[in-house]
Amino acid sequence: MKTIGYQCNLPIRREVDVMVAGGGPAGIAAAVTAARLGAKVFLAENLSAFGGMGTSGGLPFFCRPTDGINFLSAGFGEEVYNRLWEEKGAGVKMVRGEHPEEIGGFIYNPEVLKRVYDRLAVDADVDFLFNTSLIDVITADDGVVTHAVCSAKSGLFTISARVFIDATGDGDLCAMAGAEYEKGDENGKMQAGTLCSLWSGIEWERMKIWCDGARMPEAIRKNLFSVPDISLPGILHTVADSGWGNVGHVFGVDGTDEQSITLALVDARHRLPEYETYYRRFVPGAENAVMLWTAAYLGLRESRRIMGDYVLNVEDFKRQAVFPDEIGRYAYPVDLHAPHPMRERAKDDVFQRLRYRNPGESYGIPYRCLIPRSLKNVLVAGRCVSTDRYMQGSLRVQPGCHITGQAAGCAAAFAASQNGVVRDVPVIALQRKLTEIGAFLPNFNHKEGK
């Protein structure tokens, strides 16, 4: 590949305590939390709204935020939930206290969530820019990131900060700074992606939600699909008479490679009309279904996992782990989508085997999962925190991102007010502050200093 030298002097447009890269559910939680605790915060988001997959990505659904008894994404996550209800933006109210298998989460209006997030950021005095991309970082030899390089319509500029939070979902900031990471399974293969969509024309009283894939085997036998794949998560009945489609897969996509993403988007848009045909022919109530729109960007379930001081692993899920540096607890099942097309469902599907059956069951999330091994003043939040592949399949959903984002924002505010080193944040002080702002930390009562 040919190369060309390029050099320029970049303006330092902001000098802040905390810089957050990414405004998805983890990033907005981190930024608002840090700002409320007195930190001067700047957030860069490359899309046109906060919320990530839950808004621009076309999947307005909070996966289970409870363990059947307790609201696990308490604090920031519960505030978002309550504001959605207050602004009439939630479609199906979640019933608390029932068997966890019967609490899948809740559906909401994504436009209302955009406004909720906007208001939270503005009211907390977060300085933020949309349509602004992180493209590089400047790192000192001792593992301290000094500047983030951003690109926007006005050109290139830098942000100076004491602490940085990587909430990009793909671990971009950490990877740019040289942090260790893993990606995919042992062969580097990642879960399939999905281009979500908006639907109309469905008679919801006739269509059985979550059962709309029942006749997929028959449709596959009739060669309806160019890529036969039994997996069809389905269309959710949301606000009014619309439906949001988490329908079909694109395979072999690498979310850290723009060429791979481009090919996957073209492939998804080309094949989605096959699902429109399927619904019309095979699903009662969907005879007049019309797909109106596909999301602004591709839904990716998996990419980098930044290796931290602790790697949350599947054994922690099984034993309902408790940690001395716990910053939250979560309970969503391990949800892994196959990296290749499947003509029939596997009987030993991981999603079915790794789930909690009883109310109150959950696993702990240690603060160490948010700390990249080789970096001093960087935290991670959201999908790219330090886990094995199974645990990423559980923690990657929106309530999990609220939990890790809130903790990262709290820790960043602490670190920025001291020496900037995230490992030096006093764990008990961090846990005490998290409980004060509403986080669910049931095991902190047993700690000295409470």
Side-chain angles (χ1 to χ4, degrees), residues 67 72 310-332 356 360-370 385-387 391-392 394-395 400 403-404 407 431 440-444 447:
D67 60 9
L72 300 179
Y310 184 82
V311 181
L312 194 66
N313 60 77
V314 69
E315 295 304 317
D316 295 325
F317 186 100
K318 293 176 180 178
R319 68 187 178 92
Q320 300 178 46
V322 174
F323 298 97
D325 58 337
E326 205 163 275
I327 50 82
R329 298 190 67 81
Y330 200 41
Y332 187 67
Y356 295 129
E361 295 180 329
S362 64
Y363 61 84
I365 307 164
Y367 176 53
R368 288 164 292 163
C369 284
L370 313 185
V385 300
S386 180
T387 67
M391 294 305 284
Q392 186 187 56
S394 170
L395 196 52
I403 294 168
T404 57
Q431 292 170 319
F440 178 67
L441 290 176
N443 300 304
F444 181 60
K447 292 182 180 295

Side-chain angles (χ1 to χ4, degrees), residues 8 37 63 80 92 102 125 129 191 216 220 260 267 290 333 335 366 373 424 429 450:
C8 66
L37 295 176
C63 292
V80 170
V92 179
E102 297 174 357
D125 201 24
L129 290 174
Q191 297 180 61
M216 283 291 288
I220 288 174
S260 178
D267 177 42
V290 178
D335 182 1
R373 290 175 184 170
D424 290 348
K450 174 61 178 173

